Amino acid sequence: MADQLLEQVRDAVEGQIDFEGQRLAEMLTTVLLGAAGIVAFLVGFMQQDIRLALYIGLAGTALTFAVVVPPWPFYNKNPEDWLASHNATSTSAISIDVDGQKVG
């Protein structure tokens, strides 16, 4: 039972993300942190309250953390198909041609 629970936690934490998901995560980070900074500055300036501005900035950072850090499924919509390793036992041999020479 404990092994199954540990395996579920490990699968959830490991998470897979593809190259397009990395690009999306970077764009979301930039947009969310920028928007939080602008909103925090404007609200703090209008209210003349630095503490409120800091809390809004902190909330924006926490929101960005919650959106970007966990391996959400939409970050892995375009997974890459990698070649099998040489140690893999397969029925068909994979031959790769590089400049007319057989590799692998």
Side-chain angles (χ1 to χ4, degrees):
M1 168 118 169
D3 290 336
Q4 292 173 344
L5 181 62
L6 181 62
E7 193 64 34
Q8 289 176 350
V9 170
R10 187 177 297 138
D11 288 341
V13 171
E14 181 179 311
Q16 299 294 321
I17 183 171
D18 59 26
F19 295 119
E20 290 297 317
Q22 289 176 0
R23 187 185 59 76
L24 177 63
E26 182 180 354
M27 184 197 57
L28 284 173
T29 301
T30 303
V31 169
L32 289 174
L33 286 177
I38 290 170
V39 169
F41 175 78
L42 291 176
V43 170
F45 183 75
M46 297 293 239
Q47 298 293 321
Q48 292 294 304
D49 188 1
I50 190 72
R51 184 178 292 166
L52 180 61
L54 289 174
Y55 285 146
I56 292 172
L58 182 63
T61 303
L63 174 70
T64 303
F65 182 86
V67 169
V68 174
V69 171
W72 299 109
F74 62 86
Y75 288 134
N76 196 21
K77 285 187 175 180
N78 304 307
E80 293 290 328
D81 293 329
W82 300 98
L83 291 176
S85 66
H86 289 289
N87 297 340
T89 57
S90 62
T91 56
S92 63
I94 297 174
S95 73
I96 302 170
D97 290 332
V98 177
D99 293 331
Q101 295 178 346
K102 298 266 187 208
V103 178

